[in-house]
Amino acid sequence: MTAANETLHDVAVIGFDDILRTQYTDAFPYMQARNVKGGFHIAPGKIGGPSRLMLAQLREMYNAGWDCYLNGSYDDDLMTTRPTLAAALAELQKVRD
């Protein structure tokens, strides 16, 4: 419910996964030129890896108003690959920290 003087706006969320370098070199400048913000999902263990974003690039995007989401695992593997529930919970703790 909105007040009489409020206007509803359509909203779309544009998110990127896997912190690929092209998200910084292509998508980020394209969207910035149009004043559109995005979001990126991070597996901390992938930062700075081959064809992946560097921490400085992620910080630049975040400081420009982009959202940052953590993947469920440190290395972007499925949590179901963990041998036990305790191992999966430890992985979540590692990502959170």
Side-chain angles (χ1 to χ4, degrees), residues 5-51:
N5 61 348
E6 287 186 88
T7 303
L8 295 177
H9 298 279
D10 293 330
V11 175
V13 176
I14 302 173
F16 298 89
D17 198 12
D18 298 329
I19 58 172
L20 299 173
R21 193 166 293 142
T22 55
Q23 294 163 5
Y24 178 81
T25 59
D26 298 344
F28 182 55
Y30 179 87
M31 293 171 65
Q32 286 292 97
R34 290 155 181 80
N35 198 32
V36 175
K37 309 291 187 231
F40 46 92
H41 297 263
I42 298 175
K46 299 288 185 182
I47 296 172
S51 301

Side-chain angles (χ1 to χ4, degrees), residues 20-93:
L20 299 173
R21 193 166 293 142
T22 55
Q23 294 163 5
Y24 178 81
T25 59
D26 298 344
F28 182 55
Y30 179 87
M31 293 171 65
Q32 286 292 97
R34 290 155 181 80
N35 198 32
V36 175
K37 309 291 187 231
F40 46 92
H41 297 263
I42 298 175
K46 299 288 185 182
I47 296 172
S51 301
R52 307 294 176 141
L53 294 175
M54 304 299 287
L55 186 57
Q57 294 167 319
L58 292 167
R59 282 189 177 139
E60 181 182 349
M61 294 168 78
Y62 181 78
N63 289 337
W66 283 46
D67 290 322
C68 172
Y69 319 103
L70 285 175
N71 279 1
S73 65
Y74 183 80
D75 56 9
D76 206 24
D77 285 343
L78 294 175
M79 292 302 284
T80 56
T81 63
R82 304 309 187 250
T84 64
L85 177 58
L89 291 172
E91 183 75 16
L92 290 172
Q93 181 72 39

